[in-house]
Amino acid sequence: MQIIAIFHSLLRRTLTLTLAGGLIASATLIADEIVPFPNATLNLEFEQQVTSYPVISSPMKKVNGVVTADSEQWLDGSLNRKLYQLPSGKSSDEAYRFFTDQFEKLGVTSVYSCERFSCGASNFWANNVFDVARLYGLDKTQAYFLGEKQVDGKTVYYLTYTVRRGDKREYALVDIFTAGKTKVVRNNQVVMTTLPTSSSTLARSEAYKSLLKAFENQTRALLITVESASAERVSEVDSLSRRLQQFKSLLQSRLREDAIGSSRFRIQWIVGDQQEAMMHWQLLQ
């Protein structure tokens, strides 16, 4: 990603230019609803299709030398990003209230927020999540908000991260991310008839053997996605989620047993929409 700065990459070639242009145009219209902070300097602005955008809904932390969060997911879609340097006399806290108040008025539902030390280290947010070095500031001055809203059948995430740096400059990042609905055909995808429940069973599976081959002669990290089969009833979602969480832990342990270091992979899981479970992976920058 990006976490790590790992996370901005090109749209897959299977998406057409027409589709990409339509999604970006939609993101632009949504972002235009947000009023800029008065008299702030716009240091960064872009609109683009991204893959594996990090949606973080828990504090950032470092575990065994790896930056992670208890609740994180990576989504494809369109991103509108603006980075403001606040005018003299205005604080990052004011900017945080300014943007979150706008989100609330737009009907955005809060997913997660934190302030000061409860967010974790600012260094992680700046360098490992957003890949914007200027956002590395004082932990005691940072604030983060993530909210969501359904717009034209798509989930739109509204995010702001504000902070004051040691040089007393104050910054506010505003991301409007529209998650794409288009199902992209993936390379490096294998079907799993069932999710293995033991390390030995996992090691013998063709899916795992294929994954190990992907690590051979590969220095870049992999984002591994595990999808369950679809749930036939709502009551099955919770049990599928528990099985996926257990499998994630099992897969992490097995990879480490096979000398694949934690810095070389990230694992996410989702309740799928196909008849069979599957595992696929992609390179992270």
Side-chain angles (χ1 to χ4, degrees):
M1 201 190 208
Q2 267 191 1
I3 166 175
I4 306 201
I6 308 188
F7 280 101
H8 288 152
S9 58
L10 296 174
L11 251 194
R12 293 183 59 85
R13 293 181 182 178
T14 50
L15 290 179
T16 66
L17 291 175
T18 301
L19 174 60
L23 286 173
I24 290 175
S26 177
T28 303
L29 292 173
I30 294 169
D32 285 345
E33 296 178 313
I34 307 301
V35 178
F37 192 88
N39 301 315
T41 301
L42 190 58
N43 279 185
L44 174 68
E45 179 179 21
F46 67 78
E47 302 163 11
Q48 67 183 50
Q49 287 294 129
V50 297
T51 60
S52 299
Y53 176 81
V55 177
I56 308 298
S57 51
S58 67
M60 300 298 299
K61 60 185 179 180
K62 198 170 187 178
V63 179
N64 297 325
V66 179
V67 179
T68 186
D70 291 330
S71 182
E72 56 188 31
Q73 57 181 321
W74 298 271
L75 303 175
D76 300 346
S78 55
L79 173 64
N80 182 294
R81 169 168 289 181
K82 294 179 181 178
L83 175 65
Y84 298 97
Q85 182 178 333
L86 307 185
S88 177
K90 296 297 182 180
S91 70
S92 57
D93 181 69
E94 289 179 82
Y96 180 78
R97 306 302 169 193
F98 178 81
F99 289 116
T100 54
D101 284 350
Q102 288 192 67
F103 295 163
E104 182 179 354
K105 290 175 182 177
L106 289 172
V108 174
T109 301
S110 175
V111 174
Y112 172 72
S113 63
C114 62
E115 297 184 45
R116 298 168 61 85
F117 299 104
S118 64
C119 297
S122 174
N123 176 42
F124 296 157
W125 289 99
N127 296 314
N128 296 89
V129 176
F130 302 121
D131 192 24
V132 179
R134 275 170 287 184
L135 290 174
Y136 178 19
L138 305 175
D139 294 351
K140 66 181 179 181
T141 67
Q142 66 182 332
Y144 170 82
F145 174 91
L146 172 70
E148 66 179 17
K149 178 183 175 181
Q150 295 297 312
V151 179
D152 296 331
K154 293 183 173 64
T155 300
V156 180
Y157 292 94
Y158 293 73
L159 179 157
T160 187
Y161 178 81
T162 62
V163 71
R164 183 179 69 183
R165 289 172 52 90
D167 58 12
K168 297 185 179 180
R169 293 181 182 180
E170 315 257 358
Y171 288 92
L173 178 78
V174 177
D175 277 2
I176 309 298
F177 174 74
T178 304
K181 292 277 188 178
T182 302
K183 187 80 171 180
V184 177
V185 177
R186 300 179 177 92
N187 294 323
N188 305 322
Q189 179 171 292
V190 291
V191 172
M192 296 184 292
T193 305
T194 59
L195 292 176
T197 56
S198 70
S199 181
S200 58
T201 303
L202 174 60
R204 292 193 301 269
S205 69
E206 292 303 316
Y208 185 72
K209 292 176 182 177
S210 297
L211 177 60
L212 283 183
K213 288 181 180 179
F215 281 105
E216 292 179 3
N217 303 316
Q218 179 57 253
T219 58
R220 288 166 60 185
L222 292 180
L223 173 61
I224 304 166
T225 302
V226 180
E227 294 188 38
S228 73
S230 61
E232 295 183 3
R233 295 179 296 276
V234 173
S235 59
E236 292 182 358
V237 173
D238 289 341
S239 62
L240 283 173
S241 296
R242 286 192 294 270
R243 288 170 57 194
L244 285 164
Q245 287 177 318
Q246 292 167 356
F247 181 75
K248 176 183 176 180
S249 297
L250 178 65
L251 181 56
Q252 286 174 326
S253 298
R254 185 68 236 186
L255 285 169
R256 288 166 187 158
E257 285 182 35
D258 289 323
I260 307 297
S262 300
S263 62
R264 297 187 61 194
F265 64 87
R266 271 284 176 275
I267 302 172
Q268 65 175 353
W269 59 263
I270 58 175
V271 175
D273 57 4
Q274 305 297 317
Q275 293 183 342
E276 297 177 291
M278 64 182 64
M279 181 164 60
H280 50 87
W281 50 89
Q282 66 190 73
L283 292 175
L284 298 176
Q285 289 182 342

